[in-house]
Amino acid sequence: MPIDLSPEEFRRLGYRAVDMLADRLAQLHDLPVRRPVPPDLREKILHQPVPEDVTDADTLLTTIQSDILPYPMGNASSRFFAWVNSPPAPLGIIAELLAAGHNASVAGGDHAATYIEHAVLNWLKTLFHLPSDSGGLLCSGGSVANIIALAVMRHVQAGGNMRAHGFNGESAPMVVYTSTQGHSCLQKAIELLGIGNDYLRRIPVNDRYEMDIAALQAQIAADKAAGLRPVCIAASAGTVNTGAIDPLNALADICEQENLWLHVDGAYGGMGILARPELYSGMERADSLAIDPHKWLYMPVECGCVFVRDEAKMRETFSVIPPYLRDDRDMPWFSEYGIQQTRGFKALKLWVVMQQIGIEGYRDLIQRDIDLSKTLQSKIRHHPDFELTAAGELSITCFRYAPAGIAAEQLDELNRELVLIVQREGQAFLTTTILNNQRVLRVCIVNFRTTDADLDILLAALADAGQRLIITRSM
Ligand SMILES: Cc1ncc(COP(=O)(O)O)c(C=O)c1O
C-alpha cells in the first residue's frame, strides 16, 4: 500500500472525514452526552495486534465511524459540565486539519507559521495588559505552561546559576506558595523542577476560597526564620474547584516587598478578564502567567499558553543553539523559550477563531457562561433538594443533593453515587470534588452550546437519580 495518496483520493477521503464530523455535529442534541465503551469493543481495541497486514483507508474511516466517534469524552455536548473541558469551536477543527496539512514545525525560522504564532501571542499580550516585549509561547496546555513559567522563576531566583550547577550552588531550599485550592499541576511542576513538594506551601483560604493573606505572610515569616528561601507565589486566577481568584494586587505587593516572583495560573479563569476585568486587578503585575486557550477560548485540544514579563530571562532559561540550528535566525526561535524543539502549528486555530468570533464575541460568550452559572445557582437556591456550597464569580458552581430526612453522614456517599448514575445514563456529565471535607457536585460551564433548558435537565436528572438511590438503599 503506497503511503502517498493521489490528490483525488486525498480529496475524497478528506470529504468523507469532514462528513463524518458534520454528522456528529448534526446529531449532537439527540445523543447521550457520553456512553460507555461496550466491554467487547474495549477488549478489541486494547488487544488489537500489531498491524503487519495493510488495511485500506476507507475501512479505517469506517472503523473510526463505528468504534471511536460514537464514544466521545462528551465535551462537545451542551450538557457536559465536568472538569474544565469546552467544546471546540468548529472552525478551530477545520484549522487543525489545515495546520496538520501545512505541517510546519514552529521551532522558529522564516516561514508563515512562525509569524502567525507571534501575531496571536501579541493579541493575547494586549488582552492581558502585558508589555508588548514580554516573552510568550504556545504549548500543550496549562500544566506545561505552569512548568515553563516556574522554570524561568527558578532560573531567575537562583541568580542565573541553575543551568550550570543545578541546586548544588544554592545555600537554602527554595519555597513556593500557593493556596490549598492551587491546581495539582503546580505540585507536578514543583516536583519536576527539583524544588520538592515539601517546599510547596498550601496556604489556607478564606470563605470565598481565595488565598488568605495573613496566613501567607505568617508562613513566609516562619520559613525565613527557619533559614529557608521564599522565592515565588503561585497565585490562581480561577481555581479549578470554585473559580476563586486570589487577591492579586495584595499578592503582587507582597512579592515586591519580599523579592518574590509572582506567577499567576489563569489556565481556567484567565480569559474571564474579557467579561469581568474588575476581578483581575493586579494580574498585569505578574512576572509570569499561564493561560489555556483550549478551555475558555474554545480551542480544540491541545492549546496552552505561557507569558513571562522579562523576555530575556525566559530565553536565558531555555536557549541552546547547537551548530546545526544556526542558520535562518533573523528572530529568536520559539524553541529558545521552552522545552520543545519541533513544535506544532497550534497558532493557526487561535488565529482563525479569534478573528471569526472577535473579542467582543468572546466577551459575550464568556459572560453568557457566567450568567448561566448564576441562573443555575438561583435554581439550586430555590430547589428543596439541593443546597448551594460555592457560587464563584466565574462559571463554576458547587452544590449538594441533600433532601430532607437524609442523615448528614450519608450525603458524601449519596452524592458520589448520584453522579456515577447520571454519568452512566448520559443525560448530563458532571463530576464531584471535595470542599471543606465534603463531597460536592461541581458544574463548570465553559460551553457555548449550553442553554437554560440544559440546566433544568441536569437538575432533573440529579434529583431523579437521587430519589431512585434513596429508595433502593432504603435511606
Ligand atoms: C486552574 C488550572 N490550572 C491548570 C490546569 C491544567 O491545565 P491542563 O489540563 O491544560 O494541563 C487546569 C485544568 O483544568 C486548571 O483548571
Side-chain angles (χ1 to χ4, degrees):
M1 185 69 146
I3 187 168
D4 214 354
L5 295 176
S6 69
E8 293 69 33
E9 249 331 63
F10 183 80
R11 198 184 310 278
R12 189 185 64 76
L13 292 166
Y15 283 161
R16 190 178 159 201
V18 169
D19 280 342
M20 282 158 53
L21 290 176
D23 288 348
R24 296 294 306 172
L25 217 47
Q27 296 159 0
L28 212 48
H29 191 69
D30 305 319
L31 292 171
V33 177
R34 185 195 276 211
R35 51 184 176 144
V37 180
D40 54 341
L41 176 58
R42 187 164 68 179
E43 286 307 295
K44 181 180 121 185
I45 294 172
L46 289 176
H47 299 113
Q48 190 178 355
V50 176
E52 295 290 351
D53 298 329
V54 298
T55 307
D56 71 88
D58 274 298
T59 306
L60 290 168
L61 290 189
T62 302
T63 306
I64 292 172
Q65 195 163 19
S66 63
D67 292 2
I68 299 177
L69 296 186
Y71 307 102
M73 175 176 162
N75 47 324
S77 161
S78 61
R79 273 170 271 123
F80 184 91
F81 302 108
W83 310 299
V84 192
N85 292 104
S86 56
L91 197 60
I93 301 171
I94 294 172
E96 193 82 309
L97 171 67
L98 290 168
H102 189 63
N103 197 32
S105 164
V106 197
D110 181 17
H111 54 101
T114 309
Y115 302 119
I116 298 289
E117 181 157 343
H118 279 294
V120 296
L121 290 171
N122 288 339
W123 293 345
L124 291 168
K125 282 179 208 171
T126 306
L127 297 179
F128 285 101
H129 312 294
L130 293 169
S132 58
D133 60 356
S134 12
L137 197 66
L138 296 182
C139 56
S140 55
S143 303
V144 169
N146 281 309
I147 291 172
I148 292 172
L150 293 172
V152 185
M153 177 284 293
R154 185 187 66 158
H155 171 79
V156 170
Q157 294 292 42
N161 293 322
M162 192 52 63
R163 289 187 65 172
H165 306 300
F167 278 102
N168 292 319
E170 289 300 294
S171 52
M174 293 183 174
V175 187
V176 175
Y177 302 83
T178 190
S179 82
T180 53
Q181 300 296 306
H183 193 269
S184 55
C185 74
L186 295 172
Q187 174 180 338
K188 285 192 192 174
I190 291 306
E191 289 172 359
L192 276 171
L193 291 168
I195 294 170
N197 189 30
D198 285 355
Y199 298 90
L200 177 63
R201 303 281 187 245
R202 272 85 167 179
I203 304 298
V205 290
N206 61 22
D207 57 2
R208 293 186 306 281
Y209 300 96
E210 304 158 354
M211 198 187 296
D212 181 320
I213 293 290
L216 169 69
Q217 285 171 317
Q219 185 64 55
I220 292 173
D223 287 335
K224 288 202 307 197
L228 305 176
R229 194 168 157 230
V231 288
C232 171
I233 298 174
S236 303
T239 58
V240 70
N241 270 342
T242 67
I245 300 173
D246 288 330
L248 300 174
N249 261 319
L251 296 179
D253 290 343
I254 294 173
C255 285
E256 273 174 22
Q257 285 152 22
E258 301 280 352
N259 194 24
L260 307 184
W261 179 279
L262 178 61
H263 171 65
V264 176
D265 175 10
Y268 154 53
M271 289 318 306
I273 195 172
L274 292 182
R276 299 289 310 277
E278 73 282 4
L279 300 177
Y280 294 82
S281 175
M283 192 157 79
E284 72 290 348
R285 296 168 68 188
D287 294 295
S288 55
L289 171 66
I291 59 163
D292 226 356
H294 67 203
K295 294 187 165 58
W296 232 349
L297 287 182
Y298 309 110
M299 285 303 114
V301 288
E302 299 169 345
C303 193
C305 181
V306 55
F307 290 109
V308 175
R309 171 177 297 279
D310 188 335
E311 180 264 355
K313 296 292 181 211
M314 190 179 187
R315 191 175 181 196
E316 240 177 65
T317 305
F318 293 105
S319 180
V320 178
I321 310 177
Y324 67 92
L325 286 177
R326 295 222 170 122
D327 309 323
D328 193 6
R329 279 198 177 268
D330 283 352
M331 297 165 89
W333 280 33
F334 284 115
S335 53
E336 294 177 68
Y337 292 81
I339 300 160
Q340 283 178 268
Q341 181 61 39
T342 301
R343 303 174 65 251
F345 189 9
K346 293 184 164 57
L348 186 65
K349 53 193 170 189
L350 259 176
W351 186 76
V352 165
V353 180
M354 285 181 78
Q355 293 181 79
Q356 181 212 11
I357 298 176
I359 297 310
E360 206 47 48
Y362 266 122
R363 198 167 280 136
D364 291 348
L365 288 174
I366 291 170
Q367 185 61 53
R368 200 174 157 276
D369 288 343
I370 295 174
D371 290 344
L372 278 169
S373 301
K374 300 286 163 249
T375 305
L376 175 66
Q377 288 154 20
S378 161
K379 288 178 194 288
I380 291 167
R381 280 196 188 94
H382 292 100
H383 196 297
D385 293 343
F386 293 108
E387 66 185 28
L388 193 60
T389 318
E393 299 272 13
L394 298 179
S395 66
I396 297 177
T397 303
C398 294
F399 60 112
R400 298 187 107 190
Y401 177 65
I406 302 295
E409 60 274 15
Q410 291 183 303
L411 288 178
D412 272 7
E413 192 55 18
L414 181 61
N415 279 271
R416 205 182 61 81
E417 290 194 33
L418 178 65
V419 157
L420 295 179
I421 293 175
V422 173
Q423 287 182 354
R424 212 169 35 242
E425 295 181 350
Q427 306 101 310
F429 195 95
L430 76 166
T431 47
T432 64
T433 189
I434 304 280
L435 281 183
N436 294 328
N437 298 319
Q438 289 184 337
R439 170 97 32 201
V440 297
L441 309 170
R442 175 183 171 283
V443 167
C444 175
I445 305 179
V446 281
N447 197 322
F448 50 83
R449 297 202 173 105
T450 302
T451 62
D452 191 279
D454 291 312
L455 304 180
D456 290 332
I457 294 172
L458 166 72
L459 292 182
L462 286 167
D464 178 64
Q467 272 307 308
R468 280 184 278 145
L469 261 176
I470 289 170
I471 292 166
T472 51
R473 297 284 150 85
S474 310
M475 282 174 161

